[in-house]
Structures are given as C-alpha cells and as structure tokens.
Amino acid sequence: MLDVRTCASLAEAAGILSGDRQALLVGGGTLVMRDVNEGRLTDGTLVRVTDPALTQMSLSGARLELGAGVTMAMVLARPELAFLHGAARAIGGPAVRNMATIGGNLFAPMPYGDFTTALLALDALVVVQSGYGAGRPVPLEEFLAARERGSQGMVTALQVPRPQNPQHFHFRKISRVKPKGIAVLSIAAHLPLAGGRVAQARIAYGAMAPTPMRAKGVERALEGRALDAATLAAARQAALEGTRPETDAIASAWYRREVLPVHLARLLAGAAR
Amino acid sequence: MAKHPVQFRLNGSDRATFVDGAENLLNTLRRGLGDFAPKYGCGQGTCGVCTVLVDGEPHLSCLTLAVACEGRHVETASGMADGPDFHPLQAAFMDHFAAQCGFCTPGMLTAARALLAKNPNPTRDEVVEAISGNICRCTGYEPIIAAILAAAGSSGARRA
Ligand SMILES: Cc1cc2nc3c(=O)[nH]c(=O)nc-3n(C[C@H](O)[C@H](O)[C@H](O)COP(=O)(O)OP(=O)(O)OC[C@H]3O[C@@H](n4cnc5c(N)ncnc54)[C@H](O)[C@@H]3O)c2cc1C
Ligand code: FES
Ligand code: FES
C-alpha cells in the first residue's frame, strides 16, 4: 500500500527518508503522481513537506537562494529572477507550472529537466540534506553525476550565482509542439564577455544525455575568444562531444544529434549580435 | 490502511471526507464528493481535463494529492454558474460553439477563468498560452479562443 506522511519540518522529513528505503519525497507531484496513477508506484510512503523553508527565496545577495519547493510559477512571479523566466516558462502549461518545483526538476528524467539545464549553465549549487544535520552545497554538475549513479538525498535549496549581466545568459528549448511541448533538446549558455572575449563560458544541454550535461568541448572552443565566425564554426564542430541522447516518443537519438549543432549555432549567432 | 481525513472549501462550501493516503484530488472530487465536472482523461498531466483551481490557481487534480488540499479553496467548473445563470465564459462557449463533445470543456473553462481573473483583457497570445495545457480533440481550438476573448469583451488585439 502507498501511504502519505505530511511533515511540518525538513528535519522530520529527512529523518523519515533516511530511515525508510520505501519513502519517497513528493514535491509538486507532477512526476510522482503520474507513477501512482499508472500503477508504477504502489508501495511505500510519500513524504510531503509543508515546512515554509522549502519555498523560501532570498534574492538579495550575489548568490540567490531558492528553496527546492519553489515552483516554476513562483520563479515567474519574481522580476529579480527575469533571467530564469525563459526556462521556467518553457515547462508545461500554466497548471504544471503552478505545481512543478525546481527541486523536482533536478530529478526529472530526460527529456525533462529544462530548468536544471539553465541552472547548470549558471554554475548553481545544490543544498542537500542527508539525514539530520546541516546542508552542504554541492556543484550541480557533481549532483547530477551522483544522481545518475542512483544516489538519493533530500534537496532543500538551490543556490544560483546571479549573472553579472543577464544579457549574457541565453536559453533555448526546441520542441515540436507550440506553444508548449516536451523538449527535443534544450540549450543554456552563459557567455560573459570581457573586452569582447568570452570569459568562463558555460554551455549546458538538456535531453542530450540521461541528465542535463555541460558541453565542455564547446566551452573550450569559446573560451577567451571573440564570438566571430571562426569561433562559432569551432564551437559547432565540438557540439556533439560527450552527448548520449536517447530515442523516445519526441525524437530519435539520431535526430537529436542532427539538430543540436544547428540550434547551438543559432543560439551563439544570436549571442554574438 | 488508515484513511486520512481531509477538509477543504469546494466551490464555496466546506466539505470533509476521508481519502486513501496517496489518493489524488480528482478521485476525491468525483468519487468522494460527487463533483463530476473535472474529468479523468490521461492521469499524466498532459490533457488538462481535470484542471481545477486551488486557491485561485489552476492545478491538475489528477496529479494533486487530496491531502495537500487541506484547508484550501478548491473550485471546479461546477461552481461557475450562479443558479440558472451561466457564467459569462459558459455563455460565450455556447455562443461560439466552443464545445462539441464537451469533454475538454470543464478544464478549458477553468483555465480561462484563472486567466481572466488575473488578466481581464488578454491578448489572443495570452489566451493561447493560458489553455496550452488543455487538449481539445474536437474544435480545433479557434472557437474556444474566440469564446474566451468574447467573454473578456476583448478583440484580442491589445498588444502585450
Ligand atoms: C504535462 C507535463 C508537462 C511537463 N513538461 C515539462 C517540461 O517541459 N520540462 C521539464 O523539465 N519538465 C516537464 N515536466 C516534468 C515535471 O513537471 C517537471 O520536471 C517538474 O519540475 C518536476 O517537479 P515536481 O516537483 O513536480 O516533481 P515530483 O513529481 O514531486 O518529484 C519528482 C522526483 O523528484 C524527487 N524530488 C522532488 N523534490 C525533491 C527534493 N526536494 N529533494 C529530493 N528529491 C526530490 C521525487 O522524489 C521524485 O523522484 C512536465 C510534466 C507534465 C505532467
Ligand atoms: S487527467 Fe489530469 S491532465 Fe489528463
Ligand atoms: S469539445 Fe471535444 S475535446 Fe474539446
């Protein structure tokens, strides 16, 4: 049987999750409840957390902190987070966005994970609470690698360094159905320019591997260079490095590989303008 | 397994019932409380026929835990008419032939209601976005969009 426990505090939830292998945290429930409705999840305990800490946002400093229970709609309601609005708006329709949390998005299997892709290009950190005790921020890339290996743990918050110039951050989701649709792929790029050259380029892909991934070949091709035709060509050449797309109902792995360099080149050409 | 008590306001009336632990709100509304306006389409979040308002915001009741609605305001399309008088959106849906089989209609009305509560004079694009999580297999959407714009008294021409 599947039961529900409602926890008023993060510590209580963490305790249940670390003590019971059959306990599963539920955020917005957009993925968990689907598994319940389809009979894939029939036993154990769903752990619901009502602790207001989970939906807190502190948006003043250079590093923004967002509770893991913050929804896409809550992100969209905050003008301070305008640089993340493109990614938040790309997820589902209005009802999904009222439910889907940024914490749940970290665990969404491919081709989901559009918001996480944006966070990856921003060098976000994940605050994980394992059992009782204080949180410790883990780089998102490291967190996603651990997730792929099957590691578990309760995420309480995300820390996002505010881009110095939001115009240097770009996000694109490619889908076939308009105005909303599941990703063929998504691309996020943070391309800070110093003296006309890219410094600390970050490129992330969604739906090109089991979890959102950094495109390190592209980052290397861009680093320290002006966004001119030669750089764009080199970046495009490196576009597929490290990708491991899958075939699903949205697109084949072949198609994803075919179109990724095209969309990357378009995004970079847009950034160069 | 023990049932969980849950109480919330449904279309303005206090309601209380018992639910199975992981029961979704849609089952509670339909089987527990007899409100058949929200429908079960996909159970996956993709079709929008189960859309209800929770504290005024559209939610998919098939993906919402009933226990998470404790103390909240739940509104369904059943609560839109005022006695014999249709809600302006319902009247506009009739005038514009925005329902054929009608299966999507409660979800469409609810999504539209949430839009107009926040944005009484939406553009056509805003209407399209507001119903983007709701699938209609009959109308081709145009009559629905026209009905929502008409209910808003809007030509849809205003620029966002
Ligand atoms: C119609 C529809 C359209 C969608 N479209 C998109 C889309 O375009 N892009 C996209 O990226 N996603 C999409 N999704 C998938 C999903 O809604 C999002 O990925 C969402 O962000 C998941 O968050 P949630 O809070 O609903 O997750 P839940 O279903 O609550 O949880 C998902 C998983 O994450 C775990 N989890 C949740 N929160 C935490 C936490 N704080 N700590 C540890 N584990 C946690 C849960 O245990 C579970 O395993 C869509 C879903 C639907 C139904
Ligand atoms: S039944 Fe809930 S979205 Fe289809
Ligand atoms: S009227 Fe039949 S699905 Fe919309």
Side-chain angles (χ1 to χ4, degrees):
Chain A
M1 287 302 269
L2 190 61
D3 204 1
V4 174
R5 287 277 300 270
T6 300
C7 300
S9 78
L10 288 168
E12 185 189 351
I16 297 173
L17 290 166
S18 59
D20 177 357
R21 292 210 137 271
Q22 288 229 67
L24 183 69
L25 194 74
V26 52
T30 57
L31 293 169
V32 170
M33 290 304 284
R34 197 188 266 195
D35 285 346
V36 174
N37 291 344
E38 296 186 344
R40 279 193 299 271
L41 187 59
T42 52
D43 290 304
T45 305
L46 299 182
V47 178
R48 213 168 72 78
V49 188
T50 54
D51 193 329
L54 211 55
T55 49
Q56 237 155 39
M57 297 191 238
S58 77
L59 304 181
S60 39
R63 191 185 273 184
L64 313 171
E65 182 148 326
L66 309 179
V70 165
T71 63
M72 301 302 159
M74 289 177 194
V75 170
L76 286 166
R78 302 300 294 258
E80 303 95 313
L81 298 175
F83 63 100
L84 289 171
H85 285 185
R89 206 178 293 115
I91 290 168
V96 169
R97 292 196 290 272
N98 281 329
M99 302 169 70
T101 66
I102 62 172
N105 203 259
L106 298 176
F107 296 89
M110 93 140 259
Y112 294 140
D114 300 311
F115 196 79
T116 305
T117 303
L119 294 179
L120 188 56
L122 289 165
D123 285 327
L125 299 168
V126 184
V127 182
V128 185
Q129 175 165 346
S130 324
Y132 292 96
R136 71 181 175 94
V138 184
L140 177 53
E141 192 184 8
E142 212 177 283
F143 175 87
L144 291 171
R147 184 198 112 186
E148 204 185 335
R149 291 192 303 268
S151 102
Q152 306 237 319
M154 183 166 79
V155 176
T156 56
L158 284 143
Q159 297 178 347
V160 188
R162 185 201 304 277
Q164 290 217 332
N165 181 346
Q167 299 203 335
H168 292 160
F169 180 68
H170 310 270
F171 176 82
R172 234 175 222 244
K173 173 173 167 177
I174 313 306
S175 53
R176 292 179 164 181
V177 183
K178 302 284 185 295
K180 69 146 223 189
I182 299 168
V184 170
L185 56 93
S186 55
I187 309 176
H190 189 206
L191 302 168
L193 291 170
R197 290 172 188 280
V198 178
Q200 299 260 303
R202 287 287 180 277
I203 308 283
Y205 298 151
M208 289 305 296
T211 70
M213 60 170 277
R214 289 259 301 272
K216 297 207 170 149
V218 179
E219 292 175 1
R220 274 196 303 277
L222 297 171
E223 195 59 38
R225 299 186 189 266
L227 287 172
D228 56 21
T231 306
L232 297 194
R236 185 179 171 144
Q237 202 68 39
L240 292 173
E241 201 181 299
T243 59
R244 289 175 289 152
E246 286 166 25
T247 294
D248 58 25
I250 306 297
S252 65
W254 172 84
Y255 182 76
R256 289 190 157 102
R257 280 197 202 92
E258 281 300 298
V259 299
L260 171 68
V262 177
H263 290 295
L264 177 71
R266 284 186 194 158
L267 181 147
L268 294 174
R273 253 183 252 124
Chain B
M1 183 182 53
K3 294 259 187 184
H4 297 253
V6 58
Q7 280 191 54
F8 50 81
R9 246 179 129 67
L10 175 60
N11 296 324
S13 310
D14 285 321
R15 302 296 297 267
T17 184
F18 290 92
V19 301
D20 288 331
E23 183 171 316
N24 65 41
L25 175 63
L26 179 60
N27 275 338
T28 307
L29 290 172
R30 290 180 62 87
R31 295 187 193 158
L33 299 171
D35 184 338
F36 296 106
K39 309 274 182 279
Y40 191 100
C42 63
Q44 298 190 331
T46 38
C47 74
V49 284
C50 66
T51 307
V52 302
L53 304 182
V54 179
D55 292 342
E57 298 287 348
H59 281 67
L60 299 167
S61 60
C62 73
L63 299 182
T64 302
L65 281 169
V67 292
C69 297
E70 178 66 34
R72 304 180 75 174
H73 286 248
V74 177
E75 291 165 283
T76 70
S78 306
M80 287 176 77
D82 182 6
D85 298 325
F86 284 132
H87 186 281
L89 274 166
Q90 291 172 308
F93 267 57
M94 294 218 316
D95 291 345
H96 289 80
F97 300 99
Q100 285 183 27
C101 78
F103 196 72
C104 70
T105 310
M108 289 288 182
L109 286 169
T110 303
R113 185 181 177 193
L115 169 72
L116 298 190
K118 275 201 181 149
N119 180 358
N121 185 21
T123 63
R124 185 191 151 87
D125 284 352
E126 287 163 345
V127 171
V128 169
E129 173 59 37
I131 59 167
S132 63
N134 297 73
I135 290 176
C136 176
R137 290 288 81 154
C138 303
T139 64
Y141 301 99
E142 287 302 324
I144 296 173
I145 296 165
I148 297 169
L149 288 170
S154 162
S155 65
R158 181 179 69 79
R159 301 209 169 255

